[in-house]
Amino acid sequence: MRNFAYEAARMPGDAVMAVAQDTGARFIAGGTTLVDLMRVNVEAPSKLVDINGLPLKGITALPGGGVRIGALARMSEVAEHPLVVQGFPAVSQALLASASPQLRNKASIGGNLLQRTRCPYFRDLALPCNKREPGTGCSAIGGENKMQAVLGTSDSCIATYAGDMAVAMVALDAVVRVRGPRGDRTVNLVDLHVVPGDTPQRETVLAPEDLILAVDLPAAPHAARSHYLKVRDRASYEFAVTSAATGLDVQGGRIRAARVALGGVGTKPWRSPEAEALLVGQAPTREAFGAAAQAALRGARGYSQNAFKIPLAQRTLIRALELAAGGPA
Amino acid sequence: MAEQENPAELVDLKLRVNGVTRSLRLEPRVSLLDALREHLGLTGTKKGCNQGACGACTVHVNGVRINSCLALAIMHQQDDITTIEGLAQGEALHPMQQAFIDHEGLQCGYCTPGQIMSGVACVREGHAQSDAQTREWMSGNVCRCGCYNGIVEAVRSVREAQG
C-alpha cells in the first residue's frame, strides 16, 4: 500500500473542501472496498479524508412513509431496521445477501453504492484494463468472462456492477442526496451509475469531491411487496451470478405498478422500464412474467463464457416476480 | 507488515485494546490487524487473506465484529477493541473457547481465533437460533481444515447454555 496523508473531517462541508483541494484525495468511510484496492495498488490516494465523524448515520422516517438512510449507516444496521424491513423488504434482503457479517458491520451505505467492480483484471496490475488504465484494452472480452456483464457492455469494458443493495434500491426509485462544492443536489439512483461506453474509468455522475449525504426511499405499495432474489455459485458470501429485484402492486387481479431491476448481468444496477411497462395492467401470471423477462434481457450480448446468464437472468426474474406477487413459494 | 519505500509521516495514536489504552507511533497506512500483531504483540488475531475474504482477522470493535485487515488503525482511536486475548478471564476460558475444545471445532487452529470472535458475536446478535442460521451468519469465516460441523456444534452449545 502506498502511503497517504490522513485527516478526519468534522462537518460535511469541510470534507467536501478537503477533497476538492487535493486531486489525489478520497473520502473514506467503512473502507472495505477502498483499503482492499489500496492494498493491491489499484487505488493510491494521496490523502484520505475520514468522514466517520460526520452526522450522517441516522435512519429516519420521511413524511408519507418513506425512509432516509444516512450515508454512514452501516449495511448491517439498515438490513435489520424496521422501517426498511417493513417498507422495503427487497433492500433488506439484498443487504443480508451481501458480503459477510463482518463486512456488513463495517461498510457504509454511501460507500456500498460506489463499490467497484470485482472484474479480476481490474484488480491485477499486470494485465490490461481500460477501467483501471484507460487505453490499455480489455482483458475480459477475450478472457475469463463468466462473471462479466451481458447488458450495457461496450467494446471497451464488460465489467459487472457487483453490488446487491443498489439493484434493490434502483428498482424502488431511490434518490441520492449529494453535497458538492457548489451546494446540495439530488440524483435519482438510476442515473447515478453510467454505462462504460468508451470511458469505463468513469463509473458515476459524481465528482471525487461530491459527498453522498443520504439515500431516500419513497414509500409505495409495490415497495412494501418487493423481493430480492440472488443466484450464486455457493449458498452464502458470494457475488451474484444473476439477481433480480422486483416490486408488484396487485389489486383486483391486475398489476397496478411494477418494478424490475437486475443484478450480476449489467455494467450498472440494471432497471428495466420495458419489463415494467409490459407488466402493468396484466394479471400476475407466468405468461406475463415470462414476457417481461424476455423484454428485460432484450439486447443482451453474451460472451464466450457468460451467454448462460441470459436465460438464467430471465428465470431469476420470473421467480422474483412470483415471489413479489406472493405466488408459489 | 509496513512497506519501506516512500515512508510517510509517523503519527502518534492511542488504541484501547482489551480494556488497556496503548500508545503507538505508526504510518497512517498500518491496518488495525498489523497494529495489533506487529506493534502491540497481540498475535492471537491472525492474518489470512488480508483482503476481507477469510475472517481470520475478526475482532470486536465496540462489541461488533469486523475484519481488522480492512480497518486502518488510525481510524479506530475512539473505539473499544477486543481481541481473542481479551476473552478469557484469567485462567478461565470464555465459554466459546471451551466449546471449541469440547466440540473439536479446530484442527490446525489458524482460523480459530477469528471463528471464536465471530461465534461470540453471532450468539450475541441473536443469529444462532438454528444450525442453518448459524451457518449463514458464520459464513464470513473460512476453515480450510473443514471443521465446520464442530464449529456449528460449539456455537449451538453456547447459545443453548445461555438459554
Side-chain angles (χ1 to χ4, degrees):
Chain A
M1 191 186 299
R2 309 265 168 76
N3 274 311
F4 53 85
Y6 169 87
E7 99 179 45
R10 296 279 165 249
M11 294 303 293
D14 302 340
V16 169
M17 290 317 294
V19 174
Q21 286 163 4
D22 181 344
T23 53
R26 297 287 306 271
F27 299 118
I28 186 165
T32 52
T33 293
L34 183 56
V35 173
D36 187 28
L37 291 174
M38 286 167 65
R39 189 157 284 137
V40 292
N41 291 326
V42 171
E43 296 265 15
S46 57
K47 178 194 273 188
L48 290 183
V49 177
D50 182 349
I51 59 171
N52 288 290
L54 306 183
L56 303 174
K57 298 184 175 71
I59 303 168
T60 51
L62 291 171
V67 61
R68 174 165 296 168
I69 301 168
L72 289 172
R74 263 42 190 182
M75 291 172 73
S76 51
E77 298 166 343
V78 178
E80 300 192 279
H81 195 283
L83 289 174
V84 177
V85 172
Q86 287 157 24
F88 310 90
V91 174
S92 172
Q93 291 156 1
L95 283 163
L96 290 175
S98 297
S100 69
Q102 293 98 311
L103 291 165
R104 298 198 293 268
N105 282 338
K106 191 91 166 69
S108 71
I109 295 305
N112 187 250
L113 288 177
L114 301 180
Q115 74 173 302
R116 312 294 300 276
T117 184
R118 303 301 294 194
C119 177
Y121 302 104
F122 176 67
R123 299 172 62 90
D124 186 344
L125 295 186
L127 292 167
C129 169
N130 285 324
K131 185 182 282 297
R132 189 186 66 245
E133 206 173 334
T136 55
C138 174
S139 301
I141 289 175
E144 293 294 324
N145 54 42
K146 181 197 153 193
M147 291 298 284
Q148 310 294 349
V150 295
L151 287 164
T153 59
S154 74
D155 291 341
S156 295
C157 183
I158 60 170
T160 314
Y161 177 81
D164 297 295
M165 180 191 76
V167 176
M169 285 184 166
V170 81
L172 302 181
D173 305 296
V175 176
V176 183
R177 307 179 69 83
V178 178
R179 177 160 302 173
R182 284 174 298 282
D184 291 1
R185 67 188 193 276
T186 58
V187 180
N188 292 329
L189 180 57
V190 71
D191 301 321
L192 182 77
H193 300 89
V194 295
V195 295
D198 55 8
T199 55
Q201 72 278 12
R202 187 166 177 271
E203 297 177 340
T204 74
V205 298
L206 300 185
E209 63 272 22
D210 284 331
L211 177 70
I212 296 178
L213 301 174
V215 185
D216 289 354
L217 295 172
H222 58 257
R225 290 292 302 275
S226 61
H227 197 90
Y228 187 75
L229 179 63
K230 182 172 180 178
V231 176
R232 43 189 164 175
D233 283 349
R234 60 182 179 197
S236 183
Y237 195 14
E238 180 59 282
F239 292 94
V241 176
T242 59
S243 72
T246 53
L248 291 177
D249 177 14
V250 182
Q251 294 191 21
R254 297 280 159 185
I255 298 170
R256 285 178 27 135
R259 293 293 184 276
V260 170
L262 298 169
V265 291
T267 52
K268 58 177 274 184
W270 200 265
R271 185 158 169 179
S272 178
E274 299 85 354
E276 293 169 2
L278 276 181
L279 287 165
V280 172
Q282 302 292 309
T285 62
R286 185 72 179 245
E287 289 69 33
F289 295 161
Q294 289 276 335
L297 273 296
R298 199 161 288 141
R301 176 182 174 187
Y303 294 83
S304 59
Q305 299 170 353
N306 73 351
F308 77 97
K309 280 190 171 188
I310 297 171
L312 182 61
Q314 290 171 339
R315 291 167 192 164
T316 307
L317 177 53
I318 291 168
R319 180 90 169 123
L321 285 165
E322 287 176 347
L323 289 163
Chain B
M1 205 82 64
E3 295 171 32
Q4 292 307 308
E5 90 252 26
N6 186 23
E9 295 267 329
L10 293 174
V11 180
D12 288 311
L13 56 90
K14 292 189 187 339
L15 291 178
R16 194 160 58 250
V17 184
N18 301 327
V20 179
T21 300
R22 309 274 297 267
S23 294
L24 293 152
R25 197 165 163 75
L26 298 174
E27 293 178 345
R29 63 181 167 179
V30 174
S31 68
L32 178 58
L33 172 63
D34 283 347
L36 292 169
R37 287 181 56 83
E38 310 293 334
H39 299 272
L40 296 177
L42 294 167
T43 54
T45 306
K46 296 296 186 273
K47 181 184 277 190
C49 67
N50 215 23
Q51 56 181 16
C54 78
C57 66
T58 301
V59 301
H60 297 173
V61 170
N62 301 328
V64 167
R65 51 175 158 157
I66 67 160
N67 303 104
S68 60
C69 71
L70 294 182
L72 297 172
I74 197 171
M75 293 171 65
H76 289 281
Q77 297 186 75
Q78 312 301 321
D79 297 325
D80 269 313
I81 298 152
T82 305
T83 70
I84 189 74
E85 291 91 345
L87 285 189
Q89 301 290 320
E91 292 297 303
L93 294 179
H94 185 282
M96 191 65 75
Q97 292 174 305
Q98 188 61 50
F100 266 66
I101 297 169
D102 296 343
H103 295 277
E104 299 185 55
L106 63 159
Q107 186 172 323
C108 89
Y110 195 80
C111 74
T112 306
Q115 297 276 5
I116 289 174
M117 298 308 286
S118 251
V120 170
C122 193
V123 172
R124 185 188 292 152
E125 293 160 5
H127 292 140
Q129 298 303 312
S130 67
D131 286 358
Q133 190 187 38
T134 300
R135 287 191 178 91
E136 169 66 27
W137 286 82
M138 291 294 289
S139 67
N141 292 75
V142 180
C143 170
R144 288 170 55 138
C145 302
C147 293
Y148 295 117
N149 289 336
I151 292 167
V152 170
E153 286 175 19
V155 173
R156 184 203 304 143
S157 74
V158 173
R159 197 261 301 158
E160 287 174 350
Q162 292 188 0

